[in-house]
Amino acid sequence: EDKVVQSPLSLVVHEGDTVTLNCSYEVTNFRSLLWYKQEKKAPTFLFMLTSSGIEKKSGRLSSILDKKELFSILNITATQTGDSAVYLCAVGRGSSNTGKLIFGQGTTLQVKP
Amino acid sequence: NAGVTQTPKFQVLKTGQSMTLQCAQDMNHEYMSWYRQDPGMGLRLIHYSVGAGITDQGEVPNGYNVSRSTTEDFPLRLLSAAPSQTSVYFCASRPSGANVLTFGAGSRLTVL
């Protein structure tokens, strides 16, 4: 059975801290791994990773994929209160036309002033 | 460009009632899907469609029906609501061949 597992499930840090969120997966016909940020409403897209070892970066956020060990990490440096959200990891499987996204449980990050 | 629009945003039902959650997208996306989000369980796929006239089941389809008569619309029907269907529902779409889903704002459903 396909499975996406995120850890930790929740995290409380102070502004300025660096955090690392983990996502491991066991999915047949892997196509891609995506990270989303969810603040109260709809998830918004952060990164898509398809190749091992290539870091994707956007400002203070970065992510990398290891297809051999079947995991990805999302790093946030110099955290701010605006980073407080649920971070979702999703793995795309199957063909690009009909394939599905399988989500992990999410990591709830709270950044305190 | 409105993206993915879901209605209603909030709904309270009694057990056994029926209702339809509406989803419309104006991006000409072939692929549309419905997810439900429950605490501690992430997003779980209910039904999806790869184009008009084609639908298929996801992980948790029981108790839900869908149809896709047009590219733009993908309604989700609850024929006889149960308290276990209390959840937040998200509609999402993407172009065929793409990976990234665009989500609607969500519909919060409570079944008493």
Side-chain angles (χ1 to χ4, degrees):
Chain A
E1 184 182 330
D2 295 330
K3 193 164 51 173
V4 178
V5 178
Q6 293 184 243
S7 63
L9 294 182
S10 65
L11 194 54
V12 180
V13 301
H14 287 93
E15 273 191 317
D17 288 349
T18 293
V19 299
T20 298
L21 309 184
N22 303 291
C23 176
S24 64
Y25 62 91
E26 294 176 27
V27 173
T28 54
N29 297 321
F30 173 91
R31 186 174 79 249
S32 58
L33 187 142
L34 289 80
W35 285 96
Y36 284 84
K37 179 182 182 182
Q38 185 177 25
E39 299 171 272
K40 303 289 186 188
K41 293 186 182 177
T44 54
F45 172 72
L46 293 174
F47 297 112
M48 183 179 74
L49 303 141
T50 55
S51 301
S52 275
I54 299 174
E55 185 182 54
K56 292 283 183 87
K57 197 170 171 64
S58 176
R60 296 176 293 102
L61 278 67
S62 63
S63 184
I64 198 160
L65 173 66
D66 186 328
K67 290 170 73 174
K68 182 180 176 186
E69 300 298 328
L70 306 182
F71 77 92
S72 173
I73 61 172
L74 175 67
N75 278 322
I76 308 174
T77 59
T79 52
Q80 303 171 356
T81 54
D83 295 326
S84 296
V86 176
Y87 290 84
L88 297 165
C89 172
V91 174
R93 57 156 297 186
S95 79
S96 56
N97 289 334
T98 61
K100 309 166 193 175
L101 271 188
I102 301 165
F103 284 82
Q105 321 96 300
T107 294
T108 301
L109 173 65
Q110 182 183 0
V111 181
K112 292 188 171 181
Chain B
N1 191 343
V4 180
T5 302
Q6 290 183 233
T7 56
K9 288 186 168 47
F10 300 94
Q11 183 73 49
V12 179
L13 290 178
K14 293 182 180 177
T15 297
Q17 286 184 317
S18 63
M19 77 154 302
T20 299
L21 298 177
Q22 302 290 347
C23 176
Q25 52 91 10
D26 60 359
M27 299 172 285
N28 205 31
H29 287 175
E30 294 90 350
Y31 184 99
M32 295 185 75
S33 54
W34 277 102
Y35 286 85
R36 61 177 288 175
Q37 187 173 34
D38 302 294
M41 303 196 71
L43 288 156
R44 292 182 292 168
L45 182 64
I46 305 171
H47 285 286
Y48 66 101
S49 168
V50 299
I54 306 169
T55 63
D56 206 346
Q57 296 180 350
E59 304 169 67
V60 289
N62 292 340
Y64 307 95
N65 281 347
V66 292
S67 59
R68 184 95 179 269
S69 56
T70 67
T71 300
E72 294 78 19
D73 300 299
F74 190 44
L76 179 72
R77 296 184 186 85
L78 287 71
L79 297 180
S80 179
S84 60
Q85 293 178 303
T86 294
S87 188
V88 180
Y89 292 84
F90 287 98
C91 180
S93 71
R94 62 172 173 81
S96 180
N99 289 287
V100 181
L101 282 173
T102 300
F103 284 84
S107 299
R108 182 176 293 275
L109 175 66
T110 301
V111 183
L112 302 175

